[in-house]
Amino acid sequence: MAFQYWVHRGIKGKDTFLCLNNAYHGDTVGAVSVGGIDVFHEAFGPLLFKTFRTPSPYCYRCELGLEYPGCGLGCLERLSEILKEHAPEIAAVILEPMVQGAGGMIVFPRGYLKGVGELARQHDVLFIADEVAVGFGRTGRMFACEHEGVTPDFLCLSKGITGGYLPLAATVTTGEVFSAFLGEYEELKTFFHGHSYTGNPLACAAAIASLELFEKDKILDGVRKKERVLMSWLEEMKGLRCVGDTRGIGLVGAVELIKNRETKAPYPLSDRIGYRVCLAAREKGLLVRPLGDIIVIMPPLSISTENLKRMLEILKESIAEVKLPDQRSRLPSKGY
Ligand SMILES: Cc1ncc(COP(=O)(O)O)c(C=O)c1O
Protein backbone atom coordinates (compact mmCIF):
# COMPACT_ATOMS: atom_id res chain seq x y z
CA MET A 1 0.00 0.00 0.00
CA ALA A 2 2.84 2.37 0.86
CA PHE A 3 4.54 1.69 -2.46
CA GLN A 4 1.33 2.00 -4.48
CA TYR A 5 0.46 5.25 -2.72
CA TRP A 6 3.49 6.92 -4.33
CA VAL A 7 2.67 5.32 -7.70
CA HIS A 8 -0.83 6.83 -7.57
CA ARG A 9 0.63 10.19 -6.68
CA GLY A 10 2.81 10.01 -9.75
CA ILE A 11 6.04 10.10 -7.76
CA LYS A 12 8.60 7.78 -9.28
CA GLY A 13 11.62 6.07 -7.73
CA LYS A 14 10.27 5.39 -4.24
CA ASP A 15 10.65 1.68 -4.62
CA THR A 16 12.35 0.48 -1.48
CA PHE A 17 12.00 0.62 2.30
CA LEU A 18 14.08 1.65 5.27
CA CYS A 19 14.10 -0.97 8.01
CA LEU A 20 15.95 -1.82 11.20
CA ASN A 21 18.45 -4.48 12.12
CA ASN A 22 16.85 -7.02 14.48
CA ALA A 23 13.44 -6.33 12.94
CA TYR A 24 10.79 -8.98 12.49
CA HIS A 25 7.71 -8.40 10.38
CA GLY A 26 6.65 -11.90 9.32
CA ASP A 27 7.61 -14.68 6.96
CA THR A 28 6.46 -13.76 3.46
CA VAL A 29 9.25 -12.71 1.09
CA GLY A 30 8.22 -9.05 1.41
CA ALA A 31 8.12 -9.18 5.19
CA VAL A 32 11.43 -11.05 5.29
CA SER A 33 12.97 -8.41 3.00
CA VAL A 34 12.32 -5.77 5.66
CA GLY A 35 13.38 -8.14 8.46
CA GLY A 36 16.76 -7.98 10.10
CA ILE A 37 17.37 -11.15 12.09
CA ASP A 38 20.15 -13.11 10.45
CA VAL A 39 19.26 -16.53 11.88
CA PHE A 40 15.76 -16.23 10.46
CA HIS A 41 16.40 -14.28 7.28
CA GLU A 42 19.94 -14.73 6.00
CA ALA A 43 19.27 -17.99 4.15
CA PHE A 44 16.69 -16.27 1.96
CA GLY A 45 19.02 -13.44 0.89
CA PRO A 46 18.92 -14.20 -2.85
CA LEU A 47 15.11 -14.00 -2.89
CA LEU A 48 14.75 -10.66 -1.12
CA PHE A 49 14.34 -7.14 -2.49
CA LYS A 50 16.86 -4.45 -1.68
CA THR A 51 16.27 -2.27 1.36
CA PHE A 52 18.14 0.29 3.41
CA ARG A 53 19.04 -1.02 6.86
CA THR A 54 19.73 1.09 9.91
CA PRO A 55 21.08 0.03 13.34
CA SER A 56 18.71 -1.32 15.92
CA PRO A 57 18.38 0.81 19.09
CA TYR A 58 19.64 -2.14 21.15
CA CYS A 59 21.42 -0.20 23.88
CA TYR A 60 22.87 -3.22 25.68
CA ARG A 61 24.67 -4.29 22.52
CA CYS A 62 25.02 -0.99 20.68
CA GLU A 63 26.07 -1.62 17.08
CA LEU A 64 27.80 1.76 17.04
CA GLY A 65 29.76 0.98 20.20
CA LEU A 66 28.16 3.87 22.15
CA GLU A 67 27.25 3.91 25.83
CA TYR A 68 23.66 4.70 26.79
CA PRO A 69 22.66 7.19 28.18
CA GLY A 70 24.90 9.85 26.75
CA CYS A 71 24.95 8.33 23.28
CA GLY A 72 22.87 11.18 21.86
CA LEU A 73 20.80 8.51 20.11
CA GLY A 74 23.52 7.75 17.60
CA CYS A 75 21.27 5.16 15.97
CA LEU A 76 18.76 7.91 15.21
CA GLU A 77 21.52 10.00 13.65
CA ARG A 78 22.45 7.08 11.41
CA LEU A 79 18.82 6.77 10.30
CA SER A 80 18.73 10.50 9.64
CA GLU A 81 21.84 10.25 7.42
CA ILE A 82 20.23 7.50 5.32
CA LEU A 83 17.07 9.55 4.88
CA LYS A 84 19.02 12.67 3.93
CA GLU A 85 20.78 10.78 1.18
CA HIS A 86 18.14 8.32 0.00
CA ALA A 87 14.63 9.60 0.86
CA PRO A 88 13.66 9.87 -2.86
CA GLU A 89 14.20 6.10 -3.13
CA ILE A 90 12.32 5.20 0.05
CA ALA A 91 8.55 4.57 0.08
CA ALA A 92 8.36 4.06 3.85
CA VAL A 93 10.26 3.42 7.02
CA ILE A 94 8.97 0.36 8.86
CA LEU A 95 9.55 -0.61 12.49
CA GLU A 96 8.06 -2.28 15.54
CA PRO A 97 7.36 0.65 17.85
CA MET A 98 8.87 0.63 21.37
CA VAL A 99 9.79 -3.09 21.36
CA GLN A 100 11.53 -5.17 18.70
CA GLY A 101 9.92 -8.48 19.58
CA ALA A 102 11.40 -11.55 17.90
CA GLY A 103 14.76 -9.76 17.71
CA GLY A 104 15.10 -10.10 21.50
CA MET A 105 12.43 -7.93 23.16
CA ILE A 106 14.59 -4.89 22.58
CA VAL A 107 13.01 -1.87 24.28
CA PHE A 108 13.67 1.47 22.57
CA PRO A 109 15.45 4.23 24.44
CA ARG A 110 13.30 7.28 25.13
CA GLY A 111 13.04 9.63 22.15
CA TYR A 112 13.94 7.12 19.45
CA LEU A 113 10.42 6.43 18.19
CA LYS A 114 9.45 10.10 18.22
CA GLY A 115 12.65 10.91 16.37
CA VAL A 116 11.93 8.36 13.64
CA GLY A 117 8.38 9.71 13.25
CA GLU A 118 9.65 13.27 12.86
CA LEU A 119 12.42 12.34 10.44
CA ALA A 120 10.06 10.33 8.23
CA ARG A 121 7.69 13.28 7.99
CA GLN A 122 10.52 15.74 7.35
CA HIS A 123 11.81 13.66 4.46
CA ASP A 124 8.44 12.81 2.91
CA VAL A 125 8.70 9.12 3.67
CA LEU A 126 5.70 7.16 4.98
CA PHE A 127 5.92 5.64 8.44
CA ILE A 128 4.69 2.06 9.00
CA ALA A 129 4.24 1.04 12.63
CA ASP A 130 4.08 -2.73 12.92
CA GLU A 131 2.10 -3.14 16.15
CA VAL A 132 1.30 -6.81 15.50
CA ALA A 133 3.05 -7.78 18.74
CA VAL A 134 2.69 -4.61 20.83
CA GLY A 135 -0.73 -3.26 19.84
CA PHE A 136 -3.78 -3.60 22.09
CA GLY A 137 -2.25 -2.86 25.44
CA ARG A 138 0.90 -4.96 25.58
CA THR A 139 3.11 -1.97 26.48
CA GLY A 140 0.62 -0.32 28.86
CA ARG A 141 -0.88 1.92 26.17
CA MET A 142 -3.48 0.80 23.67
CA PHE A 143 -0.88 1.35 20.94
CA ALA A 144 2.86 1.57 21.53
CA CYS A 145 3.08 4.66 19.30
CA GLU A 146 1.18 6.57 21.99
CA HIS A 147 4.21 6.41 24.30
CA GLU A 148 5.88 9.06 22.20
CA GLY A 149 2.88 10.78 20.62
CA VAL A 150 3.64 9.40 17.17
CA THR A 151 0.91 9.10 14.52
CA PRO A 152 2.03 6.61 11.87
CA ASP A 153 0.75 6.46 8.30
CA PHE A 154 0.11 2.73 8.68
CA LEU A 155 -0.67 0.65 11.71
CA CYS A 156 -0.29 -3.13 11.32
CA LEU A 157 -2.44 -4.95 13.85
CA SER A 158 -3.05 -8.56 14.81
CA LYS A 159 -2.42 -10.89 17.81
CA GLY A 160 -3.98 -8.85 20.67
CA ILE A 161 -6.78 -7.56 18.44
CA THR A 162 -8.83 -10.64 19.43
CA GLY A 163 -7.10 -11.24 22.75
CA GLY A 164 -5.54 -14.21 20.93
CA TYR A 165 -8.80 -16.15 20.70
CA LEU A 166 -9.17 -16.12 16.90
CA PRO A 167 -6.82 -15.13 14.08
CA LEU A 168 -7.43 -11.66 12.71
CA ALA A 169 -5.30 -8.88 11.29
CA ALA A 170 -5.98 -5.32 10.18
CA THR A 171 -3.98 -2.70 8.33
CA VAL A 172 -5.07 0.80 9.26
CA THR A 173 -4.06 3.87 7.31
CA THR A 174 -4.74 7.57 7.08
CA GLY A 175 -7.42 9.34 5.10
CA GLU A 176 -4.68 10.74 2.89
CA VAL A 177 -3.38 7.32 1.85
CA PHE A 178 -6.92 5.97 1.47
CA SER A 179 -7.85 8.85 -0.81
CA ALA A 180 -4.95 8.10 -3.13
CA PHE A 181 -6.67 4.81 -3.97
CA LEU A 182 -9.96 6.47 -4.96
CA GLY A 183 -10.88 7.23 -8.56
CA GLU A 184 -13.08 6.27 -11.45
CA TYR A 185 -13.64 2.52 -11.89
CA GLU A 186 -11.68 2.46 -15.15
CA GLU A 187 -8.63 4.06 -13.49
CA LEU A 188 -8.14 0.76 -11.58
CA LYS A 189 -6.63 2.41 -8.53
CA THR A 190 -7.89 -0.37 -6.29
CA PHE A 191 -5.52 -2.13 -3.92
CA PHE A 192 -5.87 -5.52 -5.58
CA HIS A 193 -4.72 -7.68 -2.68
CA GLY A 194 -6.58 -9.68 -0.10
CA HIS A 195 -6.55 -12.98 1.71
CA SER A 196 -8.86 -16.00 1.77
CA TYR A 197 -10.30 -15.14 5.16
CA THR A 198 -10.13 -11.37 4.98
CA GLY A 199 -12.75 -9.77 7.23
CA ASN A 200 -13.83 -13.04 8.83
CA PRO A 201 -17.01 -12.13 10.77
CA LEU A 202 -16.45 -14.58 13.61
CA ALA A 203 -12.94 -13.28 14.24
CA CYS A 204 -14.25 -9.70 14.08
CA ALA A 205 -16.89 -10.57 16.68
CA ALA A 206 -14.17 -11.93 18.96
CA ALA A 207 -12.20 -8.70 18.44
CA ILE A 208 -15.22 -6.56 19.35
CA ALA A 209 -15.83 -8.66 22.47
CA SER A 210 -12.18 -8.25 23.45
CA LEU A 211 -12.35 -4.48 22.92
CA GLU A 212 -15.40 -4.35 25.18
CA LEU A 213 -13.41 -6.11 27.89
CA PHE A 214 -10.70 -3.44 27.63
CA GLU A 215 -13.30 -0.93 28.81
CA LYS A 216 -15.29 -3.10 31.17
CA ASP A 217 -12.33 -4.64 32.99
CA LYS A 218 -10.08 -1.57 32.71
CA ILE A 219 -7.39 -3.75 31.17
CA LEU A 220 -4.92 -0.93 30.57
CA ASP A 221 -5.01 0.21 34.21
CA GLY A 222 -4.37 -3.40 35.21
CA VAL A 223 -1.41 -3.68 32.84
CA ARG A 224 0.17 -0.56 34.33
CA LYS A 225 -0.24 -1.92 37.87
CA LYS A 226 1.22 -5.31 36.96
CA GLU A 227 3.99 -3.59 35.03
CA ARG A 228 5.37 -2.34 38.35
CA VAL A 229 5.62 -5.93 39.63
CA LEU A 230 7.40 -7.02 36.47
CA MET A 231 9.81 -4.05 36.45
CA SER A 232 10.86 -4.56 40.05
CA TRP A 233 11.48 -8.26 39.37
CA LEU A 234 13.54 -7.40 36.28
CA GLU A 235 15.59 -4.98 38.38
CA GLU A 236 16.20 -7.70 40.94
CA MET A 237 17.27 -10.16 38.23
CA LYS A 238 19.99 -7.74 37.12
CA GLY A 239 21.78 -8.72 40.32
CA LEU A 240 22.45 -12.27 39.10
CA ARG A 241 25.83 -12.82 37.53
CA CYS A 242 24.43 -14.84 34.64
CA VAL A 243 22.16 -11.94 33.68
CA GLY A 244 23.62 -9.38 31.28
CA ASP A 245 20.57 -7.22 30.76
CA THR A 246 16.91 -7.08 31.61
CA ARG A 247 14.38 -4.89 29.87
CA GLY A 248 10.68 -4.44 29.74
CA ILE A 249 7.69 -2.19 29.26
CA GLY A 250 4.05 -2.84 30.14
CA LEU A 251 3.60 -6.59 30.29
CA VAL A 252 6.54 -7.62 28.18
CA GLY A 253 9.91 -8.37 29.68
CA ALA A 254 13.16 -10.07 28.82
CA VAL A 255 16.10 -11.49 30.72
CA GLU A 256 19.27 -11.82 28.64
CA LEU A 257 21.48 -14.58 30.01
CA ILE A 258 25.20 -14.28 29.35
CA LYS A 259 28.36 -16.13 30.14
CA ASN A 260 30.52 -13.13 30.95
CA ARG A 261 29.14 -9.87 32.26
CA GLU A 262 32.31 -7.89 31.60
CA THR A 263 32.79 -8.89 27.98
CA LYS A 264 29.09 -9.56 27.34
CA ALA A 265 30.15 -12.85 25.76
CA PRO A 266 27.18 -15.15 25.22
CA TYR A 267 27.05 -18.80 26.21
CA PRO A 268 28.15 -21.24 23.51
CA LEU A 269 25.14 -22.26 21.42
CA SER A 270 25.70 -25.87 22.43
CA ASP A 271 24.92 -24.97 26.08
CA ARG A 272 21.29 -24.24 25.04
CA ILE A 273 20.82 -22.17 28.18
CA GLY A 274 17.56 -20.45 27.23
CA TYR A 275 16.03 -23.74 26.19
CA ARG A 276 17.11 -25.44 29.42
CA VAL A 277 15.72 -22.64 31.60
CA CYS A 278 12.38 -22.92 29.82
CA LEU A 279 12.39 -26.70 30.23
CA ALA A 280 13.04 -26.27 33.95
CA ALA A 281 10.13 -23.81 34.12
CA ARG A 282 7.90 -26.28 32.34
CA GLU A 283 8.69 -28.88 34.99
CA LYS A 284 7.30 -26.40 37.50
CA GLY A 285 4.12 -25.80 35.49
CA LEU A 286 5.07 -22.64 33.56
CA LEU A 287 5.15 -22.44 29.77
CA VAL A 288 7.51 -19.75 28.47
CA ARG A 289 9.71 -19.58 25.41
CA PRO A 290 13.23 -18.35 24.90
CA LEU A 291 14.65 -16.36 22.02
CA GLY A 292 18.08 -17.96 22.09
CA ASP A 293 19.40 -17.08 25.54
CA ILE A 294 16.83 -14.35 26.09
CA ILE A 295 13.96 -15.48 28.30
CA VAL A 296 10.72 -13.82 27.26
CA ILE A 297 8.01 -12.85 29.72
CA MET A 298 4.77 -12.09 27.89
CA PRO A 299 1.78 -13.20 29.96
CA PRO A 300 -1.83 -12.60 28.98
CA LEU A 301 -2.83 -9.03 29.89
CA SER A 302 -5.59 -10.46 32.08
CA ILE A 303 -3.18 -12.42 34.30
CA SER A 304 -3.82 -11.93 38.02
CA THR A 305 -1.09 -10.23 40.05
CA GLU A 306 -0.83 -13.39 42.09
CA ASN A 307 -0.21 -15.54 39.01
CA LEU A 308 2.26 -13.03 37.62
CA LYS A 309 4.25 -13.21 40.86
CA ARG A 310 4.11 -16.97 40.74
CA MET A 311 5.32 -16.94 37.14
CA LEU A 312 8.27 -14.71 38.02
CA GLU A 313 9.12 -16.82 41.06
CA ILE A 314 9.21 -19.97 38.90
CA LEU A 315 11.38 -18.24 36.31
CA LYS A 316 13.83 -17.06 38.93
CA GLU A 317 14.06 -20.56 40.36
CA SER A 318 14.49 -22.06 36.90
CA ILE A 319 17.33 -19.69 36.02
CA ALA A 320 18.95 -20.45 39.36
CA GLU A 321 18.57 -24.15 38.86
CA VAL A 322 20.16 -24.16 35.42
CA LYS A 323 22.80 -21.50 35.85
CA LEU A 324 23.42 -20.68 39.46
CA PRO A 325 23.09 -23.80 41.55
CA ASP A 326 25.78 -22.47 43.90
CA GLN A 327 24.00 -19.12 44.38
CA ARG A 328 20.56 -20.54 44.94
CA SER A 329 20.52 -20.08 48.68
CA ARG A 330 21.50 -16.42 48.26
CA LEU A 331 18.53 -15.52 46.05
CA PRO A 332 16.08 -13.25 47.83
CA SER A 333 12.70 -14.92 48.16
CA LYS A 334 9.55 -13.26 46.79
CA GLY A 335 8.91 -9.68 47.87
CA TYR A 336 8.94 -7.92 44.47
C1 LIG B 1 6.00 -7.47 15.00
C2 LIG B 1 5.45 -8.60 14.18
N1 LIG B 1 5.08 -8.36 12.93
C3 LIG B 1 4.58 -9.33 12.15
C4 LIG B 1 4.44 -10.60 12.62
C5 LIG B 1 3.94 -11.65 11.69
O1 LIG B 1 2.62 -11.85 11.79
P1 LIG B 1 1.97 -13.04 10.93
O2 LIG B 1 2.57 -14.30 11.47
O3 LIG B 1 0.54 -12.90 11.22
O4 LIG B 1 2.33 -12.80 9.53
C6 LIG B 1 4.80 -10.90 13.93
C7 LIG B 1 4.65 -12.28 14.45
O5 LIG B 1 5.19 -12.69 15.43
C8 LIG B 1 5.35 -9.88 14.72
O6 LIG B 1 5.76 -10.11 15.98
Side-chain angles (χ1 to χ4, degrees):
M1 284 164 81
F3 171 75
Q4 199 175 351
Y5 166 80
W6 295 112
V7 172
H8 288 331
R9 280 197 45 195
I11 293 172
K12 293 199 168 64
K14 279 184 168 295
D15 52 14
T16 190
F17 292 80
L18 173 55
C19 51
L20 268 60
N21 289 337
N22 291 319
Y24 181 77
H25 298 291
D27 296 331
T28 59
V29 171
V32 171
S33 296
V34 292
I37 305 175
D38 285 347
V39 281
F40 294 175
H41 302 143
E42 204 172 16
F44 301 97
L47 300 180
L48 309 180
F49 58 72
K50 173 187 155 248
T51 57
F52 290 103
R53 287 265 210 103
T54 187
S56 159
Y58 187 3
C59 300
Y60 178 63
R61 296 188 185 277
C62 177
E63 290 173 52
L64 306 171
L66 305 171
E67 283 296 327
Y68 177 80
C71 63
L73 288 179
C75 45
L76 197 54
E77 268 171 45
R78 189 59 71 85
L79 184 137
S80 165
E81 282 160 20
I82 298 173
L83 283 175
K84 264 186 213 144
E85 202 172 329
H86 297 287
E89 298 157 66
I90 299 171
V93 52
I94 178 166
L95 55 69
E96 299 151 85
M98 293 316 288
V99 185
Q100 287 190 299
M105 299 301 157
I106 297 161
V107 179
F108 289 3
R110 193 184 289 260
Y112 182 81
L113 178 62
K114 194 177 175 57
V116 177
E118 284 168 0
L119 285 167
R121 204 125 301 187
Q122 241 170 320
H123 291 277
D124 219 9
V125 160
L126 295 169
F127 181 27
I128 305 173
D130 178 351
E131 296 227 14
V132 165
V134 291
F136 295 95
R138 176 55 59 186
T139 65
R141 298 288 181 98
M142 197 59 166
F143 300 108
C145 281
E146 292 174 45
H147 284 280
E148 304 220 326
V150 169
T151 307
D153 298 292
F154 296 92
L155 204 48
C156 312
L157 304 171
S158 190
K159 302 197 197 291
I161 196 170
T162 58
Y165 282 93
L166 283 175
L168 182 72
T171 305
V172 181
T173 189
T174 59
E176 192 193 329
V177 171
F178 179 78
S179 308
F181 288 78
L182 299 180
E184 294 304 318
Y185 178 79
E186 58 274 21
E187 288 182 278
L188 299 177
K189 282 187 168 178
T190 304
F191 183 67
F192 287 105
H193 301 273
H195 300 275
S196 307
Y197 293 117
T198 296
N200 179 276
L202 199 54
C204 291
I208 291 167
S210 179
L211 280 177
E212 282 165 5
L213 285 180
F214 267 93
E215 281 186 27
K216 185 170 145 290
D217 294 350
K218 299 193 170 46
I219 296 290
L220 292 178
D221 290 348
V223 170
R224 287 192 283 262
K225 278 189 199 128
K226 288 173 276 194
E227 175 183 34
R228 290 199 282 273
V229 175
L230 176 59
M231 293 309 136
S232 90
W233 180 83
L234 288 171
E235 210 40 51
E236 179 196 322
M237 295 303 285
K238 273 189 182 147
L240 305 186
R241 70 172 147 76
C242 63
V243 172
D245 187 35
T246 66
R247 43 194 179 258
I249 181 170
L251 269 184
V252 51
V255 177
E256 183 162 343
L257 302 171
I258 48 158
K259 190 169 172 63
N260 186 316
R261 285 175 83 146
E262 280 67 50
T263 62
K264 299 185 182 173
Y267 287 104
L269 275 179
S270 53
D271 280 10
R272 302 191 73 181
I273 293 299
Y275 169 77
R276 282 166 51 206
V277 167
C278 292
L279 269 191
R282 196 194 297 175
E283 292 293 310
K284 301 176 203 300
L286 173 70
L287 281 175
V288 279
R289 66 175 281 205
L291 290 163
D293 289 345
I294 298 166
I295 311 295
V296 176
I297 299 122
M298 214 163 168
L301 304 188
S302 57
I303 193 171
S304 67
T305 303
E306 192 192 347
N307 276 345
L308 176 63
K309 287 184 175 176
R310 172 111 187 84
M311 173 183 184
L312 299 175
E313 190 67 27
I314 291 177
L315 264 183
K316 185 173 69 177
E317 279 172 17
S318 306
I319 291 171
E321 194 173 297
V322 173
K323 255 349 283 170
L324 297 166
D326 52 323
Q327 282 194 7
R328 228 176 150 184
S329 56
R330 287 201 270 131
L331 286 176
S333 63
K334 297 200 170 102
Y336 35 80

